[in-house]
Amino acid sequence: MTTVTVRVTPRSTRTEVARGSQGEIVVRVRAAPEGGKATAQAAAALAALLGVSARAVTLRVGARSRNKVFAIEGVSDDDLRRALNAL
């Protein structure tokens, strides 16, 4: 299991995973930060980037914060690094 720390930006014009200005991982989502909708879209965007099912991505820290830590099953640290370097 691999973990990744991201910053979620809700109410964006599109859903995407990108690098921030200081190299951090930013997940922009269209959903509003209400009822966990933005977190769910962020998890789905990470799953799509890494080619795993949405169930493989679980929130570990940050349910009510923009900064979140997700655990990802079925992905090695090297796989994660390669996917993020491609951003």
Side-chain angles (χ1 to χ4, degrees):
M1 182 180 319
T2 300
T3 60
V4 61
T5 302
V6 302
R7 178 156 178 90
V8 177
T9 304
R11 294 189 179 119
S12 293
T13 56
R14 63 178 175 249
T15 298
E16 66 179 350
V17 181
R19 288 281 187 172
S21 61
Q22 298 174 350
E24 72 277 15
I25 302 162
V26 178
V27 182
R28 296 179 185 98
V29 296
R30 295 188 70 176
E34 300 168 348
K37 292 176 184 175
T39 299
Q41 278 192 4
L46 285 172
L49 174 72
L50 298 169
V52 298
S53 73
R55 287 185 171 176
V57 181
T58 56
L59 180 67
R60 292 287 181 213
V61 178
R64 301 190 66 145
S65 171
R66 288 183 183 214
N67 296 315
K68 300 179 185 300
V69 177
F70 287 97
I72 306 163
E73 291 187 36
V75 174
S76 69
D77 289 338
D78 289 335
D79 293 337
L80 176 64
R81 198 174 2 266
R82 274 193 292 274
L84 296 176
N85 285 340
L87 296 177

